Amino acid sequence: MTIEHTHEFRLVAPGDAALRPLLDDLAIEYQRRYGPNDELARFPDSDFAPPDGGFLILVENGETTAGGAFRRYDETTAELKRIWTHPGHRRRGLARLVVRELEREAAACGYQRVVLSTGPRQPEAIALYLAGGYRPLFDVTADPETVGEHVFDKTLV
């Protein structure tokens, strides 16, 4: 039996209830990988609001299964943040779809470049960004724990 997935992307306001699964699970994920942290409080939700940013969710059969956000980094650069896939929906390429859609949204807002970062204990994110054409701004041969924050960039135009 094949399960058919119907999905759609939605840009949502920072306080939208459909974001709760994304934000709640990210908090658990960051805690599990890094211990106590304030990663989700580093930027106010207003940073991810139009016209300079946005929260994007991927909804499948009424369920938020993946998502992410972008915010203004500088005049020509957007920063991608909070990229997430529900644990029950991983290994299906949804994060790749989310990143591509975030890039499209950022380009539509006039950004010419994207930056993003991830931590050393998220090898699947590092692999995703490298496979997506992002340029690492760190030594990829170094021990990930010695690098700290892993920063990437990509030109959109």
Side-chain angles (χ1 to χ4, degrees):
M1 178 169 112
T2 302
I3 297 173
E4 186 173 325
H5 295 280
T6 59
H7 66 268
E8 69 173 314
F9 284 107
R10 290 186 203 156
L11 279 173
V12 297
D16 193 299
L19 276 175
R20 286 289 13 126
L22 183 156
L23 297 175
D24 291 348
D25 193 59
L26 273 177
I28 293 166
E29 189 83 15
Y30 292 155
Q31 170 77 21
R32 184 175 63 79
R33 292 186 191 223
Y34 299 104
N37 67 82
D38 64 350
E39 177 58 33
L40 292 178
R42 280 182 45 199
F43 305 101
D45 284 348
S46 59
D47 277 13
F48 302 103
D52 296 326
F55 271 108
L56 179 80
I57 57 171
L58 178 63
V59 178
E60 289 187 317
N61 304 320
E63 177 186 4
T64 301
T65 57
F70 70 98
R71 64 187 283 278
R72 180 186 183 98
Y73 185 79
D74 65 32
E75 189 175 307
T76 61
T77 308
E79 180 178 24
L80 304 189
K81 300 294 291 177
R82 301 183 180 160
I83 297 167
W84 165 86
T85 301
H86 183 284
H89 295 277
R90 292 184 180 161
R91 311 275 318 144
R92 293 182 40 221
L94 300 182
R96 185 182 73 249
L97 295 175
V98 167
V99 170
R100 275 194 263 173
E101 190 66 20
L102 287 169
E103 290 170 355
R104 279 194 278 276
E105 290 292 339
C109 288
Y111 295 114
Q112 300 167 11
R113 179 176 166 255
V114 174
V115 296
L116 54 77
S117 63
T118 192
R121 298 178 189 160
Q122 294 171 267
E124 60 283 289
I126 294 166
L128 171 70
Y129 305 141
L130 289 171
Y134 281 80
R135 180 175 61 115
L137 303 179
F138 60 94
D139 180 356
V140 295
T141 65
D143 175 357
E145 290 292 333
T146 65
V147 171
E149 187 174 46
H150 289 58
V151 181
F152 298 82
D153 77 344
K154 182 176 185 179
T155 302
L156 296 177
V157 269

